[in-house]
Amino acid sequence: MNTSFLLFALLNPLFALLAAPLYMALIRKVKAYAQGRKGPRLFQVYYDLKKLMQKEAVYSPTSSWIMRFTPYLNLSTLLVCSLFVPLVFVPEPAGGLGNIIVFLYLLALERFFTALGGLDAGSAFGGMGSSRSMSLAAVIEPTMVVAFAALAFVLKSLNLHHMFALTAGTVLPISPTLVLVSISLFIILIVETGRLPVDNPATHLELTMINEAMILEQTGKNLVLLELAHALKQFLLMGILINTILPVGLSTEIDAGKIAVSALLFLLKAGLLAIIIGLFESALAKMRLFRLPAFYVMAFFFSALTILIEVFA
């Protein structure tokens, strides 16, 4: 493993872990303004996590080791995922890290254990959320595979590090078809992070809960770990979308000044994307469960169209 990757392995997960909750808060803030409210402070989310960390974890008497293990596994999995998505700079390749097939398997592992944790609590809400999540996963996971295949097809690599090394330094997407892939990646971001119109992260209503239902029985530091894992997942998917459609500023060199500028630019681009997500959510209502596959089909369509254009153009 080279020096470049060792520095990346230190900086990238730390940067993602510290910044990820801020964008959850920014999306809430934008939605609050769109609804005519002021909303909580941007940094309130950090105070909430600190407060939760000081509370004792309480477990259902019917739960097993799965409920205790899931929060640690989820956060660990997402931290490993953060080694696959360059945010502050693109390192030299090392050990096959960056492979999108492994990245998708890791996301599937996190989803699987979240659903298991929801079932393990033995509550009706947890079971309902896990059932809904797995039903929707049967549709969105093939769509994700096609979307990332389209991305790999356009950028001629299965490795995210190689892909972003190719796009780094350009202001606009290096191929017009990346715009089509970006639409698919945006839909995947909305679906995978449980945002409107797929799920409503701000509600505890039985009819609308999916992700919230699965973690409803988690408390204290376990809930903090799950919330951080969820924020990290959103931040990494935002990173893939940003580096695909607007890679300007991403550094490929180990230079303190360039890395600092790259990190600052990424924060600004992520802020812009968070504002777009907040406005997108504010403009839509929660879709009925059986209509959601039609939303996913849009992502599948644009990805399949990209592959067809790349093959026959």
Side-chain angles (χ1 to χ4, degrees), residues 282-302:
S282 302
L284 296 173
K286 170 81 173 66
M287 291 177 77
R288 298 171 75 176
L289 198 64
F290 67 86
R291 293 186 61 188
L292 289 178
F295 184 60
Y296 303 165
V297 164
M298 290 172 62
F300 184 88
F301 169 76
F302 286 113

Side-chain angles (χ1 to χ4, degrees), residues 73-93:
L73 180 129
N74 281 12
L75 185 59
S76 304
T77 303
L78 267 299
L79 284 173
V80 174
C81 283
S82 67
L83 296 176
F84 286 64
V85 185
L87 303 172
V88 289
F89 73 99
V90 185
E92 293 177 18

Side-chain angles (χ1 to χ4, degrees), residues 26-39 279 282:
L26 181 56
I27 293 173
R28 286 181 202 151
K29 193 78 173 174
V30 172
K31 288 171 67 178
Y33 275 123
Q35 294 165 3
R37 298 184 289 112
K38 191 176 178 182
L279 295 175
S282 302

Side-chain angles (χ1 to χ4, degrees), residues 12 29 51 77 82 88 96 114 143 190 217 220 234 249 251 285 306:
N12 211 59
K29 193 78 173 174
K51 189 176 177 182
T77 303
S82 67
V88 289
T114 303
T143 304
I190 295 294
E217 298 289 332
Q234 175 180 280
S251 174
T306 301

Side-chain angles (χ1 to χ4, degrees), residues 173-288:
I174 61 171
S175 168
T177 49
L178 284 178
V179 177
L180 297 177
V181 179
S182 298
I183 298 171
S184 300
L185 292 176
F186 182 78
I187 294 173
I188 287 169
L189 168 63
I190 295 294
V191 175
E192 278 293 303
T193 53
R195 312 217 66 92
L196 285 169
V198 177
D199 192 5
N200 188 351
T203 183
H204 282 174
L205 295 176
E206 179 188 351
L207 292 176
T208 59
M209 284 195 300
I210 299 179
N211 286 322
E212 278 296 307
M214 290 188 287
I215 63 171
L216 202 59
E217 298 289 332
Q218 297 282 6
T219 55
K221 63 182 179 183
N222 288 346
L223 185 57
V224 173
L225 298 178
L226 287 171
E227 292 286 358
L228 282 175
H230 188 68
L232 261 178
K233 187 178 186 179
Q234 175 180 280
F235 197 63
L236 295 179
L237 290 174
M238 288 171 71
I240 293 173
L241 177 56
I242 288 168
N243 288 337
T244 300
I245 194 72
L246 195 62
V248 58
L250 183 61
S251 174
T252 55
E253 300 172 22
I254 306 178
D255 181 281
K258 289 183 178 178
I259 291 174
V261 171
S262 173
L264 183 60
L265 275 176
F266 186 85
L267 291 176
L268 293 174
K269 290 183 285 185
L272 178 63
L273 180 56
I275 291 171
I276 293 171
I277 293 171
L279 295 175
F280 179 79
E281 281 199 71
S282 302
L284 296 173
K286 170 81 173 66
M287 291 177 77
R288 298 171 75 176

Side-chain angles (χ1 to χ4, degrees), residues 45-90:
V45 64
Y46 293 99
Y47 296 122
D48 291 343
L49 290 175
K50 181 184 174 186
K51 189 176 177 182
L52 273 174
M53 187 61 83
Q54 293 166 349
K55 291 187 178 293
E56 182 186 359
V58 179
Y59 299 102
S60 161
T62 62
S63 65
S64 69
W65 62 271
I66 291 176
M67 192 169 173
R68 295 159 175 76
F69 179 63
T70 296
Y72 295 95
L73 180 129
N74 281 12
L75 185 59
S76 304
T77 303
L78 267 299
L79 284 173
V80 174
C81 283
S82 67
L83 296 176
F84 286 64
V85 185
L87 303 172
V88 289
F89 73 99
V90 185

Side-chain angles (χ1 to χ4, degrees), residues 138-183:
V139 183
I140 193 60
E141 285 188 355
T143 304
M144 285 180 70
V145 171
V146 176
F148 278 91
L151 189 64
F153 216 94
V154 176
L155 297 176
K156 315 296 182 195
S157 175
L158 282 174
N159 191 295
L160 289 166
H161 294 182
H162 292 159
M163 292 180 193
F164 297 148
L166 187 65
T167 61
T170 60
V171 177
L172 297 174
I174 61 171
S175 168
T177 49
L178 284 178
V179 177
L180 297 177
V181 179
S182 298
I183 298 171

